[in-house]
Amino acid sequence: QVQLVESGGGLVQAGASLRLSCTASERTFTNYAVGWFRQAPGKERDFVAGINWNGGTTDYADSVKGRFTISRENSQNAVYLQMNSLKPEDTAVYYCATVYGRIALGDVWGQGTQVTVSS
C-alpha cells in the first residue's frame, strides 16, 4: 500500500481558498488513481474528488463541483486539491488515498489535514 501524507489545511473564512497537497515517497504512486476524501465530526468519510494516473480524467462529488479542482504533478509525486469559495460545510479532516473509481484501496489512512471554514 502506498503511504500518503496530506498537508495544507487551515482555518479560513467562508469564501476563502486553500490548496491541499498529498505526497508519496514511492515512485509507484504515479501508477495509481488518487482520490481526496473528507470526514466531518460524527459523519462518515466521503469521496470528494479523484484523478486518474496521468491527470487526464477527474471526478468530483456534486457538493464540490465547480469550486474544487484536483490535479497532479507526477514528477513531484504529488496530488493537489485546490479549494475555492469555501463554505462552513466544507469543514472536515481531508484525506487522500489511492483509489479505484470512488473507492479507496486498502484500509489504512494517514493523519489527514484539518480544514475549518468559519462563517
Side-chain angles (χ1 to χ4, degrees), residues 11-26:
L11 171 62
V12 298
Q13 291 189 329
S17 298
L18 280 174
R19 189 175 86 150
L20 306 184
S21 297
C22 170
T23 57
S25 56
E26 296 91 347

Side-chain angles (χ1 to χ4, degrees), residues 7-21 36-38 48-49 60 64-71 80-87 89-95 113-117:
S7 63
L11 171 62
V12 298
Q13 291 189 329
S17 298
L18 280 174
R19 189 175 86 150
L20 306 184
S21 297
W36 283 97
F37 298 78
R38 67 187 181 187
V48 173
Y60 298 94
V64 306
K65 202 171 293 184
R67 299 187 299 122
F68 290 11
T69 303
I70 189 171
S71 62
Y80 305 102
L81 185 68
Q82 178 67 41
M83 306 186 297
N84 298 330
S85 302
L86 282 162
K87 304 175 180 181
E89 51 263 44
D90 295 318
T91 296
V93 179
Y94 284 70
Y95 303 88
T113 186
Q114 175 71 49
V115 172
T116 303
V117 184

Side-chain angles (χ1 to χ4, degrees), residues 37-57:
F37 298 78
R38 67 187 181 187
Q39 186 168 24
K43 296 189 177 182
E44 294 185 351
R45 186 179 285 126
D46 293 327
F47 172 83
V48 173
I51 189 165
N52 75 327
W53 72 274
N54 68 356
T57 302

Side-chain angles (χ1 to χ4, degrees), residues 95-115:
Y95 303 88
C96 60
T98 53
V99 297
Y100 180 78
R102 295 187 170 192
I103 306 300
L105 299 176
D107 56 3
V108 177
W109 296 86
Q111 63 180 15
T113 186
Q114 175 71 49
V115 172

